[in-house]
Amino acid sequence: ETGYQRRVHGDVEFVPVLTSCVVMQDKKIKPDDEELARHCESVQKLQTSLELIEEEFDSKVLELQAQYNKNKQPLYTQRNELLVNLPNFWFTAFSNHRVLEMLLHEDDGEIFKYLVSLFVDEKEDIKSGFKITMTFKENPYFEDTKLWKEFTFCEDGQTSITQSDVKWKEGKNPAVATEAPASDRKRSRDESGESFFSYFEKAQLDHVDVGNIIKDDLWPSPLKYYLGEVDGESSSDSYEGGESDGNDDEEDEDDGNPDGDEN
């Protein structure tokens, strides 16, 4: 029997080393006898069966979720009809989301006043994509009454993005009309001055992230964003310098109090 000796509380004890397995440098254990290999193979077969059950479970969950999403559609429609009674609902909800508020141009609030409804429609196979649709009243900004963007997740891992485009009326595109420097604007994405509605004019990979935020954060419960009841913080506190301002205050207090006590 092979092994090594170690001292425990002054006593020397022999620790045997298993010799039926060879420990490789990559820390993987490689069975070197047939009996051990058979045991490992039996465990692996059971593991494969467990994984198949897990895959079946995931599939059933997706089917169930798709069915319940379909059952929710009439309620979402009723909710949209009620939300028109709340002033500046969607603009306020967007403004209170720490990411979405960064996509808003300072003039977008006027456009949002004409928004009748926002709707997120997931495909029947919810893994394959979704569509975001904004419906507007006739307005002085663009010819469209509906702006939409659709994401299709393909089996090869690629994402197809299509959108409605925006037919801006002359001089009404905020991104083009704005001539003020970025420092003078209330909000702008990466200081580009783009309107949020530019989102419906072109396809970019980061638009998938924005779409998922609207689908998963805002759409399920927009009222809590409208009321500012999201984790007890506002978007400005958590996204644009809010934390650094708080640290500056703490530094001022830390720097000031000791001097005051000593003097």
Side-chain angles (χ1 to χ4, degrees), residues 79 83 86-102 104 112 115 118 134 187 213-214 217-219 221-230 233-235:
R79 187 180 71 182
L83 292 181
L86 300 176
N88 299 319
F89 179 83
W90 287 111
F91 182 70
T92 303
F94 271 71
S95 298
N96 284 338
H97 190 286
R98 64 185 182 87
V99 175
L100 296 178
E101 72 99 15
M102 294 302 297
L104 298 174
F112 267 89
L115 179 62
L118 182 152
M134 285 183 157
R187 302 181 181 90
I213 288 171
I214 294 174
D217 287 4
L218 189 67
W219 174 245
S221 184
L223 184 62
K224 68 180 182 182
Y225 287 96
Y226 177 76
L227 298 175
E229 297 176 345
V230 184
E233 64 180 17
S234 69
S235 55

